[in-house]
Amino acid sequence: MLRILLSLLLFVSFAGLASADETTLAKALQARVRAFHEGAPNEELKLRVIYFYPADRQPLPSYEERINRIVFDIKDFYDTEFARIGLTDAVLPLEMDGQRLKINMVQGDENHDGYGYDSGRTILREIGQKLRGNVDPDREFLLILCALCDKQEDGSFKIYSPYYGLGGANQVRGTCFAADCEMLDTLNLTKTNEPFRYNEHNRDQRRSLADFNTVFIGGMAHELGHGLSLPHNRELPSERGKGTALMGSGNYTYRAELVGKKGSFMTLASATRMMCHPLVTQSNKQRFDRAHVRVSDVQFSGDGKAVTISGKVESNVEPFAVIAYSDADGGNNYDAYQWTAEVDPSGKFEVTLDVHKPGKNVLRLSFCHANGATSDVSYVFQANQNGEPDVQALKDGMAIASLEKSFLSGEADEARKFAQQYLTNNPQTAIEPILSYSQTVDPTRPQVALASVSGDSAYLSDVEPTEAKTGYGRPSYNVYAMPRRGAEGSFFLQPGGQFHAKGFYAHAPSKYAFNLEGKWKSFEATAGMQDGVRETASAVFIVVGDGKELYRSGKLRGGETAQVSLDVTGVQSLELITESGEDNNHGCWSVWGSPQVRR
């Protein structure tokens, strides 16, 4: 049967040859990785395939033959793309049973109606229990196919399987889920005239059988990429002749070349992250070491659409490459353009980005370490309607990132000196309020009793609450996060991207309560999500006075804020509450900015 697959693939042409420069760079990067691992034992690591089916169901018809064809086809795609880009002897290794793919079978504890799209972690937990001693999800790489697809009486199919890569994939472990269906088969990739109906996420859909297989087998290849720690990225305009990037929208064009269309391809950025992955290197050298980086001497320069960033990176694990992403606001990174450059042995790097979407963007540098780990630093910038970046904004973004890292690491004195020097060198900078704030902020300063305030106004983040709780982490006042060893992320409060020197970190569900004693007349604040929040997170902001709801915002997402202004005359107890706007509170980075009462 596998020979049928190989015969089919004879019709598949490359998605375009790699450019000479790309091939030269890929070979140079691979040589760096191989030099790092030279002499390390061969670990014989494999991608392991697990087939999961519920307690009241059997594996779907012909699953073994179909899964063999599908997984070998995906392997062929990865291997062929590695070779096209210029990598030598780079393959995706599979766990085999003789000449066939080894499929590890697991029957779940629940009936089919006990599982759904959000059941990934439940399924993984059951797999870990049933295959204990054989499969270790914390140290292996797993592709889990779920037989959560039922044929309906009208001939359509209902699909309710998890279909995603679990977060946290890295060089140590990685897990992804995909759906099986009895009509999923590489032999159906060319059946463009056969209609197919199915329901997924409670939406009825109609495609040709070929398109269904392209989308779902392509989706499996795409989610496998996430399981192997590949992020989303899209093709550059200069790469469109190759087709669509697999880790962009490439699941919709997978093997489309079989029906005369442009198919999918792997970007050099994705191949670079794969060439150092333990499955490809077959080495555990420093695999379990967490990489730490220090980026210094960063410089930005630009002309028109091109912006060049250079600097030096130091790490406990050799960084051999840097991938620069220009990622427009929104889009869940699917539209992130990507460029790859070598980090020389001394740690110096330089990379030029020349395509940007108008509006808010993030310039993200992902340093690739020879053990398979990656480390990211990010800078926010704006591009005008012509896609030309604001280089000064990039410099300012770098300054904010440096300040936040220093403050979170407990290096407040270093941060204050940096802020003072940067303001001296850039007196007209737009981040002057943050620089000035940085020279005086003290997150450990104790709050005072509201009753002791004699002025006509008071910021509630400066006074003692009667109750304070957050849905994740701990309450923080006038900063987003308190300094602690190894802390990363935000330090400054920036709801909706706007800086506030006063306010609360209020990850939903949260509550901050105050005893006003009926002595204050008005309350005002800016409610919003911290800058950089994920698109799927939202929060609702509520103000309660003496048990009565005085205000309720709509559902606020990233970039959105609400101005709150209320009469609180006679109110004894004031409560500032946030609730998640979703059915979970994942990444619900809610913030009360400048919460103030006036007499």
Side-chain angles (χ1 to χ4, degrees), residues 302-448:
D303 182 23
K305 294 182 179 181
V307 58
T308 298
I309 178 170
S310 62
K312 183 175 182 179
V313 58
E314 300 169 86
S315 176
N316 59 312
V317 183
E318 181 184 341
F320 70 96
V322 59
I323 302 169
Y325 299 92
S326 179
D327 188 8
D329 197 27
N332 199 25
N333 301 336
Y334 280 98
D335 54 356
Y337 293 110
Q338 37 67 43
W339 297 260
T340 303
E342 185 173 5
V343 175
D344 76 20
S346 71
K348 293 181 180 179
F349 66 90
E350 180 177 294
V351 59
T352 298
L353 305 78
D354 56 7
V355 183
H356 316 277
K357 283 191 173 183
K360 182 179 178 182
N361 292 265
V362 175
L363 192 165
R364 188 170 67 253
L365 296 181
S366 184
F367 294 99
C368 299
H369 302 270
N371 69 339
T374 55
S375 302
D376 290 358
V377 295
S378 300
Y379 311 96
V380 177
F381 70 99
Q382 292 282 336
N384 64 20
Q385 290 302 307
N386 295 322
E388 297 170 341
D390 183 340
V391 176
Q392 182 60 49
L394 273 168
K395 294 179 180 178
D396 290 345
M398 179 194 69
I400 292 173
S402 296
L403 286 169
E404 290 194 308
K405 184 173 183 180
S406 293
F407 275 123
L408 288 173
S409 300
E411 300 169 346
D413 289 342
E414 180 178 325
R416 293 189 181 102
K417 291 177 183 177
F418 176 87
Q420 184 178 34
Q421 186 63 48
Y422 192 85
L423 186 57
T424 299
N425 295 337
N426 301 271
Q428 304 301 316
T429 176
I431 64 169
E432 184 276 332
I434 292 179
L435 297 171
S436 297
Y437 171 78
S438 296
Q439 296 176 59
T440 60
V441 61
D442 180 5
T444 64
R445 181 182 299 163
Q447 282 75 40
V448 301

Side-chain angles (χ1 to χ4, degrees), residues 222-223 226 230-234 246-248 270 325 327 331-336 338 364:
H222 177 104
E223 299 306 336
H226 288 317
L230 299 184
H232 289 139
N233 66 186
R234 68 168 300 172
L246 175 68
M247 300 310 297
S270 291
Y325 299 92
D327 188 8
N332 199 25
N333 301 336
Y334 280 98
D335 54 356
Q338 37 67 43
R364 188 170 67 253

Side-chain angles (χ1 to χ4, degrees), residues 109-393:
D109 294 329
E110 304 290 332
N111 290 339
H112 73 284
D113 54 2
Y115 300 105
Y117 179 79
D118 295 322
S119 298
R121 294 195 180 277
T122 298
I123 291 172
L124 184 61
R125 183 172 61 252
E126 293 183 14
I127 288 172
Q129 292 169 349
K130 294 176 183 292
L131 297 181
R132 183 175 288 120
N134 179 34
V135 171
D136 184 355
D138 290 329
R139 296 169 69 95
E140 294 190 280
F141 306 99
L142 310 177
L143 169 59
I144 302 173
L145 306 179
C146 301
L148 297 173
C149 176
D150 296 336
K151 188 172 184 178
Q152 308 297 295
E153 291 184 0
D154 64 359
S156 65
F157 291 80
K158 181 176 179 59
I159 300 171
Y160 48 101
S161 168
Y163 216 120
Y164 40 77
L166 282 185
N170 54 29
Q171 78 280 9
V172 175
R173 61 185 172 274
T175 298
C176 65
F177 295 88
D180 187 31
C181 173
E182 63 185 78
M183 299 305 293
L184 203 62
D185 195 330
T186 57
L187 300 180
N188 293 330
L189 281 166
T190 58
K191 296 181 179 178
T192 58
N193 295 322
E194 295 188 26
F196 185 80
R197 294 179 296 123
Y198 65 100
N199 179 288
E200 187 184 28
H201 302 312
N202 295 317
R203 290 192 308 163
D204 291 326
Q205 301 193 48
R206 186 185 297 267
R207 300 179 186 271
S208 71
L209 186 57
D211 284 346
F212 168 76
N213 275 270
T214 283
V215 170
F216 275 74
I217 298 177
M220 196 181 300
H222 177 104
E223 299 306 336
L224 174 60
H226 288 317
L228 300 178
S229 75
L230 299 184
H232 289 139
N233 66 186
R234 68 168 300 172
E235 63 281 356
L236 291 165
S238 60
E239 296 178 305
R240 288 172 184 161
K242 302 176 185 177
T244 308
L246 175 68
M247 300 310 297
S249 299
N251 53 307
Y252 290 98
T253 56
Y254 182 84
R255 297 305 193 197
E257 65 270 21
L258 293 172
V259 293
K261 302 177 182 179
K262 287 190 181 297
S264 304
F265 76 101
M266 182 179 290
T267 62
L268 175 59
S270 291
T272 299
R273 296 175 77 117
M274 284 297 303
M275 71 172 67
C276 58
H277 194 281
L279 281 181
V280 176
T281 64
Q282 291 295 302
S283 168
N284 280 342
K285 182 177 179 180
Q286 287 193 263
R287 176 183 166 195
F288 302 101
D289 292 353
R290 181 178 179 182
H292 302 278
V293 299
R294 179 178 181 272
V295 183
S296 59
D297 301 331
V298 176
Q299 300 291 328
F300 294 101
S301 60
D303 182 23
K305 294 182 179 181
V307 58
T308 298
I309 178 170
S310 62
K312 183 175 182 179
V313 58
E314 300 169 86
S315 176
N316 59 312
V317 183
E318 181 184 341
F320 70 96
V322 59
I323 302 169
Y325 299 92
S326 179
D327 188 8
D329 197 27
N332 199 25
N333 301 336
Y334 280 98
D335 54 356
Y337 293 110
Q338 37 67 43
W339 297 260
T340 303
E342 185 173 5
V343 175
D344 76 20
S346 71
K348 293 181 180 179
F349 66 90
E350 180 177 294
V351 59
T352 298
L353 305 78
D354 56 7
V355 183
H356 316 277
K357 283 191 173 183
K360 182 179 178 182
N361 292 265
V362 175
L363 192 165
R364 188 170 67 253
L365 296 181
S366 184
F367 294 99
C368 299
H369 302 270
N371 69 339
T374 55
S375 302
D376 290 358
V377 295
S378 300
Y379 311 96
V380 177
F381 70 99
Q382 292 282 336
N384 64 20
Q385 290 302 307
N386 295 322
E388 297 170 341
D390 183 340
V391 176
Q392 182 60 49

Side-chain angles (χ1 to χ4, degrees), residues 13-23 80-81 83-86 238-239 241-243 265-266:
S13 61
F14 283 164
L17 297 176
S19 68
D21 288 344
E22 180 180 88
T23 299
T80 299
E81 286 299 289
R84 178 188 63 79
I85 288 168
S238 60
E239 296 178 305
K242 302 176 185 177
F265 76 101
M266 182 179 290

Side-chain angles (χ1 to χ4, degrees), residues 71-89:
V71 174
F72 272 100
D73 190 72
I74 292 172
K75 170 183 166 59
D76 180 86
F77 174 87
Y78 274 74
D79 293 354
T80 299
E81 286 299 289
F82 291 157
R84 178 188 63 79
I85 288 168
L87 306 185
T88 57
D89 299 323

